[in-house]
Amino acid sequence: AQKVTQAQTEISVVEKEDVTLDCVYETRDTTYYLFWYKQPPSGELVFLIRRNSFDEQNEISGRYSWNFQKSTSSFNFTITASQVVDSAVYFCALTRYNFNKFYFGSGTKLNVKP
Amino acid sequence: GAGVSQSPRYKVAKRGQDVALRCDPISGHVSLFWYQQALGQGPEFLTYFQNEAQLDKSGLPSDRFFAERPEGSVSTLKIQRTQQEDSAVYLCASSLRETSTDTQYFGPGTRLTVL
């Protein structure tokens, strides 16, 4: 069975703090893809990153970075120097090769206070 | 370019009414997905289209739910005899290719409230 767990329901930080959002996944497949999406209050899911199971290199994009560790089945997301505009619900998702559905976690709500 | 659009953005229905939710995917996108998102939860897969073919409807919760994409572009999700438990945000997503692991781009959703 496929499953994505985001154990942190809600996190509050003060602007400029660093924050890490955890994502743990379960799958027996060897080929799979992981995603992070941001859902601001407007409701639209915004794509952040896509990573396949064979690429364990960490990735940095501006203030965002992702740490993929197959050994612990985790794909964590760090925001450096958080800003108020980062306030949103963040979802981690898993999809299997040759299957068409995404499996989403329950999301982590991030509150960044000025 | 235009993203995925959905209409209406909000829908209030009385229990027992039928509703139709529309999705306009990104032009040229082969794949189209519908998800249901309950309050405080992640999206749950409902169904998948590749062009006009509905290849997976395993997530549809009951036979009251029906989706179509007759010309391979616009899609409609229809819910018959709505129940209170159908209240949720219905999200539509599209992806460029038929590849299962392609990035999905989401619309803003339709918030359905069944009274």
Side-chain angles (χ1 to χ4, degrees), chain A residues 36-89:
Chain A
W36 276 95
Y37 283 85
K38 174 182 180 180
Q39 189 174 43
S42 61
E44 189 167 335
L45 283 158
V46 177
F47 166 73
L48 296 178
I49 190 171
R50 170 177 178 260
R51 175 55 53 85
N52 75 56
S53 53
F54 298 107
D55 181 4
E56 286 193 74
Q57 276 195 329
N58 292 332
E59 182 156 341
I60 298 175
S61 177
R63 297 184 296 108
Y64 295 170
S65 62
W66 290 270
N67 184 343
F68 177 27
Q69 292 196 336
K70 288 178 75 171
S71 60
T72 56
S73 297
S74 65
F75 186 42
N76 295 338
F77 172 33
T78 297
I79 302 174
T80 303
S82 59
Q83 300 177 0
V84 173
V85 292
D86 296 328
S87 296
V89 180

Side-chain angles (χ1 to χ4, degrees), chain A residues 33 37 50 98-101, chain B residues 33 37 58 100-101 103-104:
Chain A
Y33 286 72
Y37 283 85
R50 170 177 178 260
N98 275 341
F99 288 81
N100 299 297
K101 62 184 74 172
Chain B
F33 306 81
Q37 186 176 20
S58 62
S100 59
T101 53
T103 298
Q104 295 182 22

Side-chain angles (χ1 to χ4, degrees), chain A residues 3-29:
Chain A
K3 186 178 179 182
V4 175
T5 301
Q6 296 180 255
Q8 304 152 309
T9 305
E10 187 166 353
I11 301 174
S12 292
V13 298
V14 176
E15 206 170 18
K16 299 185 182 177
E17 284 185 13
D18 298 348
V19 59
T20 295
L21 310 182
D22 297 335
C23 172
V24 174
Y25 61 92
E26 296 175 30
T27 180
R28 293 184 180 177
D29 292 9

